[in-house]
Amino acid sequence: MTLTVLIVILSVFAILGITEFIHNLYYSFLSAEGKENAANLIVLKEETAIEQIKLALFEYSWYGLSHTGKIIAVYDNLSFETLEIIKDIVRENEIILVPTEYVKNVINAVF
């Protein structure tokens, strides 16, 4: 019984790993040309702004440039404390932090 459960668990993990590999391979062929012109645009909300930035950094560290070229964080009406924390995080990483009214200008300048 224990051996059967372990084999089922191992099979599920093996299938998940193979499908993830195939997905990454397919994605790399699909977006081979446009990686430099890709961006992850994040609209920050007051309640979850710090978590949004941390999640974007986690995705960037996990997937690298295969999923996004640049990270652009857009903010509007954030509290001073939240904005200062986010600015500290942005200084240490490659994230473009921009207010809502300048998003179009930043996108035109970057691309």
Side-chain angles (χ1 to χ4, degrees):
M1 178 67 183
T2 306
L3 183 61
T4 305
V5 171
L6 289 176
I7 290 174
V8 168
I9 291 172
L10 180 65
S11 299
V12 168
F13 283 134
I15 291 170
L16 289 174
I18 290 170
T19 56
E20 182 67 24
F21 174 75
I22 291 171
H23 174 263
N24 286 337
L25 189 65
Y26 175 74
Y27 191 80
S28 67
F29 284 131
L30 191 66
S31 64
E33 299 172 359
K35 289 180 188 174
E36 297 84 25
N37 294 329
N40 188 1
L41 186 67
I42 304 167
V43 179
L44 300 175
K45 298 179 183 175
E46 176 64 38
E47 303 83 27
T48 59
I50 298 169
E51 289 82 13
Q52 286 176 292
I53 291 289
K54 289 180 180 179
L55 179 62
L57 288 173
F58 177 76
E59 283 186 19
Y60 184 75
S61 67
W62 185 258
Y63 293 112
L65 291 175
S66 66
H67 281 252
T68 182
K70 295 168 184 46
I71 300 172
I72 301 173
V74 180
Y75 68 91
D76 192 25
N77 297 329
L78 291 181
S79 67
F80 180 76
E81 296 84 17
T82 305
L83 191 57
E84 288 300 315
I85 293 170
I86 290 173
K87 284 182 181 179
D88 289 339
I89 295 172
V90 168
R91 279 187 206 110
E92 300 169 2
N93 300 291
E94 296 182 18
I95 298 176
I96 301 169
L97 184 65
V98 61
T100 305
E101 58 265 8
Y102 298 119
V103 172
K104 186 175 180 181
N105 295 339
V106 169
I107 290 175
N108 289 335
V110 170
F111 300 111

